[in-house]
């Protein structure tokens, strides 16, 4: 459900219910920011609050308020939300805690939240257990504490599940104009995705930043991503949880590879939401997107008057999906004209100090570096401390950068390698001039990489996670037969249900063959696999030595170029995670895997395979024959098709290894855990 959040987030009238410092702070923050609408304090006993006359109850208000801050206890909150919904209010912020988030300590908490949702009906509510929101565009602050922001005409919107992180982000001094700061609390009614959709509706919002602890409604996230793409507004996120323990991996390698954070990372990539690892890079990316919008490519250039800074820039970008393209002939000619014969021309560029303090020459140099092959051109410049130095010469260089921007219209950034060496007033001046003021070199590179992320392509809806069950291990022969029904190539095989059946099974398959112990998840680890290349008698003796009572005899597949793992694990938070990795004995050794969400397109699967370290083997390493990638893709598609058709009751599936040859791809081991 998509609610109309416009009255709540962009109110003309605000009611503040409750007394004390928290509620007084809400009124004072609105007054400081110059809110032009009505502010109505409500309290049964007080005469005035923060200098304003007080209404005794909601019924005494002149009209139904657009937005309400409920600074009262949880029981009164529920009663008041019901009254507000009945009178047609635009929405409410529920400041109180003690709802579902406290259910471990209070057995009544969950029931209280259910009552809250019931009485709210269709009226939007934020929280409970949240600080509310700040609208810097209209000066509407339903915010019971300090904050460090200022009015803005346009800017980035930020949603976070943490009120404390929200406060800290408002205190940034990086020159990022913030349009909204919203805290979601425990998201009883409105989740982060729905809040994001409501913010993107405001034409003054240039980009959206999200701090995410958990996703919740996956369909709402798909809708948010599609809407963001339709209005051409980028989204970036911090998703916590990388350090959480991976899922229990008692049976398959897949669960280990896809455990923990893989599902979240795959979901964000699928949605086209760039992910940042820290708050500083998060803010710098939002700043870049506010100034330039998404970058059209990952090509960058840096300029500095120091070889050390040029090298540092190149090293800082190393390992990121960023490219320093070599200078073209036009750039070289124009730079040579500006710098003379003494400067070695390259990207990154060390332009030396020959032209220091020469604004026309600096302008000519910076303009010469700009080129259509570059998505971002950055000048590295750390200003001296104003209390111990004189920044005048550095400010002359800034003038040249602004002049070059005016001349060329290219995407320019100024980068202070140390964040503290970029004053906030200068950052604001550069932002107003259309130049990204980057606080920190590492943050600048992270921002460029994130801003160059390709938008999400239109995809089939996610396969949503099914209810968790206690699964049973399907025996290998049955698992392979089931998968073969969806097009997976499996070896010729014969089961031997006892010792007496072994000779006939071996004869049916033929020598050489593979003999496997049945009923074991990690057969090779306990001597449960034997490659029978010798005599039939040797094969039978080896089978008898295995820790089992039944066996599976299979044809031996030769000509293997590479071994792959193809697995799917149900992730209750993100869907079904498809993992592609180096297979066989290399799975744990290399930890070389990529994860996607089902259903994944052929293009996604192909890209993931190309990113594996064993991709060189698949493509034919040092003159060797390449694997038949058409067959490999068909095998992966068969596994995915099985999952799509049998999701109910399925917990995990693994093919390891999928033997990739020059002519085919054969699944020689299969594991399925499900409950029918």
């Amino acid at each position: 459900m998509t609610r109309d959040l416009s009255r709540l987030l962009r109110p003309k009238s605000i009611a503040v219910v409750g007394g004390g410092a928290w509620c007084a702070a809400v009124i004072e923050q609105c007054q400081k920011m110059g809110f032009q609408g009505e502010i109505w304090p409500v309290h049964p006993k007080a005469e005035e609050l923060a200098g304003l006359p007080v209404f005794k109850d909601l019924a005494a208000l002149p009209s139904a308020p657009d937005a309400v801050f409920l600074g009262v206890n949880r029981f009164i909150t529920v009663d008041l939300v019901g009254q507000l919904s009945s009178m047609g209010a635009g929405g409410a912020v529920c400041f109180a805690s003690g709802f579902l988030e406290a259910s471990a300590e209070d057995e009544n908490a969950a029931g209280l939240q259910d009552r809250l949702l019931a009485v709210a009906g269709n009226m939007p509510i934020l929280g409970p257990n949240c600080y509310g929101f700040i609208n810097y565009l209209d000066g509407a602050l339903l915010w019971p504490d300090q904050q460090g922001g200022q009015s803005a005409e346009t800017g980035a919107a930020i949603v976070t599940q943490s009120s404390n992180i929200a406060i800290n982000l408002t205190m940034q001094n990086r020159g990022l104009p913030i349009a909204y700061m919203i805290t979601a609390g425990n998201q009883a009614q409105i989740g982060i995705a729905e809040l994001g959709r409501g913010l993107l509706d405001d034409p003054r919002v240039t980009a959206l930043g999200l701090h995410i602890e958990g996703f919740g409604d996956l369909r709402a996230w798909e809708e948010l991503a599609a809407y963001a793409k339709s209005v051409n507004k980028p989204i970036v996120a911090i998703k916590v949880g990388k350090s959480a323990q991976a899922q229990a991996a008692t049976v398959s390698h897949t669960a280990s590879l896809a455990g923990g954070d893989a599902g979240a990372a795959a979901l964000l990539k699928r949605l086209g939401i760039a992910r940042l690892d820290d708050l500083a890079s998060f803010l710098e990316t939002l700043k870049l997107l506010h100034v330039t919008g998404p970058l059209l490519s990952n090509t960058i250039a840096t300029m500095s008057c120091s070889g050390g800074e040029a090298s540092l820039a190149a090293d800082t970008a190393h390992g990121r999906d960023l490219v320093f393209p070599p200078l073209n002939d036009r750039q070289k000619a124009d730079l040579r004209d500006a710098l003379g014969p003494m400067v070695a021309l390259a990207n990154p560029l060390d332009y030396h100090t020959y032209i220091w303090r020469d604004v026309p020459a600096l302008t000519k140099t910076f303009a010469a570096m700009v080129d259509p092959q570059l998505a971002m051109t950055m000048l590295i410049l750390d200003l001296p401390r104003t209390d111990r130095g004189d920044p005048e010469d550095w400010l002359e260089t800034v003038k040249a950068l602004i002049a070059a921007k005016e001349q060329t219209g290219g995407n320019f950034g100024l980068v202070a390698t140390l964040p503290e060496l970029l004053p906030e007033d200068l950052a604001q001046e550069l932002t107003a001039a259309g130049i990204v003021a980057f606080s920190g070199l590492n943050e600048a590179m992270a921002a460029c990489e994130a801003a160059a992320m390709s938008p999400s392509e239109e995809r089939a809806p996610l396969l949503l996670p099914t209810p968790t069950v206690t699964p049973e291990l399907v025996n290998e022969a049955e698992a392979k037969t089931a998968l073969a029904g969806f097009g997976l190539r499996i070896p010729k095989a014969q089961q031997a249900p006892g010792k007496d059946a072994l000779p006939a099974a071996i004869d049916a398959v033929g020598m050489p063959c593979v003999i496997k112990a049945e009923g074991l998840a990690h057969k090779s680890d306990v001597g449960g696999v034997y490659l029978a290349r010798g005599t039939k008698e040797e094969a039978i003796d080896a089978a008898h030595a295995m820790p089992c009572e039944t066996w599976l005899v299979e044809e031996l597949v030769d000509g293997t170029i590479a071994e792959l793992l193809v697995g799917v694990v149900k992730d209750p938070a993100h869907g079904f995670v498809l993992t592609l990795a180096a297979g066989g004995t290399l799975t744990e050794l290399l930890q070389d895997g990529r994860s996607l969400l089902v259903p994944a397109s052929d293009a996604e699967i192909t890209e993931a395979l190309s990113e594996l370290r064993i991709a060189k083997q698949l493509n034919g390493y040092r003159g060797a024959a390449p694997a038949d990638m058409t067959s490999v893709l068909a095998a992966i598609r068969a596994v995915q098709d099985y999952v799509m058709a049998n999701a109910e009751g399925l917990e995990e599936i693994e093919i390891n290894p999928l033997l990739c040859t020059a002519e085919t791809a054969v699944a020689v081991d299969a594991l399925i855990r499900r409950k029918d």
Side-chain angles (χ1 to χ4, degrees):
M1 175 182 181
T2 301
R3 298 171 182 81
D4 182 3
L5 305 180
S6 57
R7 286 179 65 196
L8 173 62
L9 299 181
R10 295 176 282 280
K12 299 292 191 297
S13 59
I14 297 173
V16 181
V17 183
W22 296 114
C23 292
V26 173
I27 298 171
E28 291 164 357
Q29 290 289 357
C30 287
Q31 291 170 334
K32 285 180 183 178
M33 203 63 66
F35 178 63
Q36 297 299 304
E38 298 290 335
I39 303 176
W40 300 325
V42 179
H43 194 279
K45 298 178 181 179
E47 296 295 327
E48 67 90 25
L49 185 65
L52 296 178
V54 173
F55 295 87
K56 297 301 181 185
D57 53 36
L58 294 175
L61 295 178
S63 62
D66 290 329
V68 183
F69 183 87
L70 295 174
V72 294
N73 70 48
R74 57 181 178 162
F75 301 106
I76 299 176
T77 292
V78 174
D79 293 337
L80 293 178
V81 164
Q83 293 181 47
L84 289 166
S85 179
S86 298
M87 63 191 293
V93 170
C94 300
F95 181 54
S97 58
F99 291 86
L100 188 61
E101 80 283 354
S103 57
E105 295 79 25
D106 183 351
E107 62 182 12
N108 298 313
L112 193 62
Q113 180 153 312
D114 290 339
R115 282 182 52 206
L116 177 68
L117 292 173
V119 299
N122 291 328
M123 185 187 75
I125 55 173
L126 278 186
N129 189 27
C130 77
Y131 261 30
F133 70 90
I134 301 170
N135 174 347
Y136 287 112
L137 303 169
D138 304 307
L141 289 81
L142 277 75
W143 192 259
D145 206 335
Q146 297 185 67
Q147 55 81 32
Q150 57 187 356
S151 296
E153 295 183 0
T154 63
I158 298 174
V159 184
T160 170
Q161 288 186 242
S162 166
S163 297
N164 201 57
I165 285 178
I167 293 175
N168 297 340
L169 290 175
T170 71
M171 301 294 176
Q172 58 90 22
N173 61 358
R174 297 166 175 265
L176 169 66
I178 298 176
Y180 292 89
M181 181 67 69
I182 299 187
T183 60
N186 73 11
Q187 305 177 78
Q189 183 202 66
I190 305 176
I192 288 179
E194 188 177 348
L195 281 170
R197 170 67 185 269
L199 292 169
L200 292 178
D201 281 334
D202 192 325
R204 300 168 294 178
V205 170
T206 54
L208 177 62
L210 307 174
H211 164 250
I212 306 164
E213 294 175 12
F215 288 97
D217 185 350
L218 296 177
R219 290 285 180 255
W221 284 92
E222 289 179 314
E223 291 171 8
L224 171 64
Y227 185 70
K229 184 178 180 181
S230 73
V231 296
N232 195 32
K233 293 184 179 181
I235 306 175
V236 301
I238 287 182
K239 169 63 177 72
V240 297
K242 284 187 177 183
S243 58
Q245 292 296 318
Q247 299 172 17
T250 57
V251 176
S252 72
H253 296 292
T254 302
S256 178
L257 290 168
D261 191 58
L267 178 60
L268 288 170
K269 183 176 181 181
R270 184 186 185 94
L271 296 173
I273 298 176
R275 185 180 190 179
L276 284 306
D277 293 328
D278 58 86
L279 291 174
S281 299
F282 175 76
L283 291 173
E284 293 305 307
T285 305
L286 286 173
K287 191 194 304 180
L288 187 162
L289 293 169
H290 169 74
V291 174
T292 71
L295 298 183
L296 298 180
S297 73
N298 63 348
T299 55
I300 62 172
T302 65
M303 308 173 291
S304 65
C305 63
S306 161
E309 288 174 341
S311 299
L312 186 61
D315 280 358
T316 304
H318 184 70
R320 296 190 178 276
D321 187 17
L322 293 171
V323 176
F324 287 89
L327 300 175
N328 59 36
D329 291 341
R330 198 280 308 159
Q331 288 172 302
K332 290 178 181 177
D334 290 352
L335 286 168
R336 181 64 67 212
D337 184 50
L339 294 170
M342 300 294 291
V343 175
L345 302 181
N347 179 25
L349 176 67
D350 168 17
Y351 61 83
H352 294 260
T353 54
Y354 301 122
I355 57 173
W356 189 248
R357 303 184 186 89
D358 186 341
V359 173
L362 288 166
T363 302
K364 193 173 182 180
T365 299
F366 302 157
M369 197 68 168
V370 175
D371 192 81
Q373 70 170 327
L374 297 172
M376 175 62 66
T377 304
M378 293 176 280
L379 170 67
I380 298 175
L381 190 72
D382 289 82
L383 275 73
R385 295 171 52 134
T386 55
D387 58 339
R388 300 177 188 173
D390 183 356
E392 181 179 353
D393 289 346
W394 284 258
L395 294 176
E396 291 295 294
T397 304
V398 173
K399 289 179 182 178
L401 186 66
I402 294 174
K405 167 68 177 178
E406 293 172 349
Q407 286 181 20
T408 66
N411 284 340
F412 273 111
L414 183 144
V415 183
T417 57
L418 298 177
E420 60 268 28
L421 299 184
L422 180 61
E424 183 178 17
D425 58 349
L426 177 58
Q428 292 171 333
E429 178 187 348
L430 289 165
T431 299
I435 296 172
V436 187
F438 290 112
S439 299
L441 181 58
N442 186 65
E443 291 86 345
M445 297 303 176
C448 288
E449 181 183 42
M453 178 176 172
S454 300
S456 62
E457 299 298 325
E458 189 153 345
R459 293 183 172 92
L462 280 170
L463 178 61
L464 298 180
T466 53
T468 299
V469 298
T470 302
E472 298 170 353
L473 182 64
V474 179
N475 76 54
E476 183 181 349
E478 291 179 13
K480 285 180 176 174
T481 300
L483 291 163
F486 288 82
L488 183 68
R489 168 87 195 283
I490 60 174
K492 180 182 178 182
Q494 183 74 37
Q495 284 182 284
K499 290 183 178 181
D500 293 341
L502 266 170
I506 294 173
D507 289 339
V509 172
M511 294 288 289
C513 65
V514 180
I515 300 179
K516 299 178 180 179
E518 287 197 313
L520 303 177
H522 294 299
K523 293 181 281 293
S524 60
D525 294 346
V526 292
V529 178
Y530 179 72
L531 303 182
R533 294 184 181 274
T535 67
K536 178 179 175 180
E537 289 70 24
E538 289 172 339
I540 292 173
D541 290 342
H544 289 170
M546 293 179 184
C548 65
E549 298 296 327
T550 63
W551 296 265
L552 181 65
V553 181
E554 290 184 339
E555 67 173 298
L556 183 63
V557 179
D558 283 317
T560 299
I561 292 170
E563 297 184 4
L564 282 176
L565 174 148
V566 181
V568 176
V569 171
K570 183 172 71 182
D571 180 337
H574 310 112
F576 286 83
V577 181
L578 168 66
T579 297
L580 308 175
T585 58
L586 295 179
T587 298
E588 291 184 350
L589 182 64
L590 292 184
Q591 290 289 301
D592 179 24
R594 293 292 183 273
S595 291
L596 307 167
L597 291 178
V598 175
S601 67
D602 286 358
E604 288 178 282
I605 293 170
T606 300
E607 179 186 9
L609 290 172
S610 72
E611 293 172 349
L612 296 176
R613 277 180 275 175
I614 64 165
K616 291 181 179 180
Q617 285 180 268
L618 289 169
N619 295 327
Y621 186 58
R622 290 193 172 183
D628 180 0
M629 295 307 295
T630 299
S631 296
V632 172
L633 188 60
I636 296 168
R637 199 184 302 118
V639 173
Q640 180 167 263
D641 289 346
Y642 172 87
V643 174
M644 295 288 289
N646 297 276
E648 199 71 31
L650 179 66
E651 289 297 311
E652 65 179 306
I653 179 173
E654 178 176 289
I655 307 299
N656 187 21
L658 178 73
L659 298 186
C660 307
T661 76
E663 296 83 25
T664 188
V666 185
V668 298
D669 199 0
L671 175 151
I672 294 177
R673 293 175 67 229
R674 63 172 303 110
K675 183 75 171 180
D676 290 315

